[in-house]
Amino acid sequence: MEAINKLRTECVRYYVEKGYPLDHCELYVPKDEDEIRRIFGCIQEEKKWKTNTHSNPLGIQFEQDDNT
C-alpha cells in the first residue's frame, strides 16, 4: 500500500507542478490502485513525449513552403 501512496503522491505533485491547486489535484487523482497506476503510466508517457519534442511540443509535421 505504501508504494501506491508514493505513486499517488507523485501524480498529485505532477499536476501541482503544472499549476493546478493542491486541493484540486487531491480530488482529481483517484485513490483506486488501478487508476493510480494508469495515471502514473500516462504521466510517464507524457514526460517521455515532451523530452522527445523540445522544439515542437505538439509533434506537428510542417511542410516546407517553396516561397520561404
Side-chain angles (χ1 to χ4, degrees), residues 18-31:
K18 288 184 75 106
Y20 295 98
L22 178 60
D23 58 339
H24 177 80
C25 297
E26 287 288 344
L27 292 172
Y28 181 74
V29 178
K31 292 182 169 60

Side-chain angles (χ1 to χ4, degrees), residues 7-59:
L7 287 180
R8 186 174 188 280
T9 299
E10 288 301 313
C11 292
V12 170
R13 180 178 297 130
Y14 176 78
Y15 289 112
V16 168
E17 288 174 357
K18 288 184 75 106
Y20 295 98
L22 178 60
D23 58 339
H24 177 80
C25 297
E26 287 288 344
L27 292 172
Y28 181 74
V29 178
K31 292 182 169 60
D32 177 71
E33 184 174 335
D34 291 336
E35 283 299 297
I36 292 170
R37 290 186 190 282
R38 184 186 69 77
I39 291 170
F40 185 79
C42 291
I43 289 170
Q44 298 310 304
E45 287 298 314
E46 185 176 322
K47 285 180 178 179
K48 276 195 271 184
W49 182 74
K50 282 183 179 179
T51 59
N52 290 335
T53 57
H54 289 294
S55 62
N56 190 358
L58 297 177

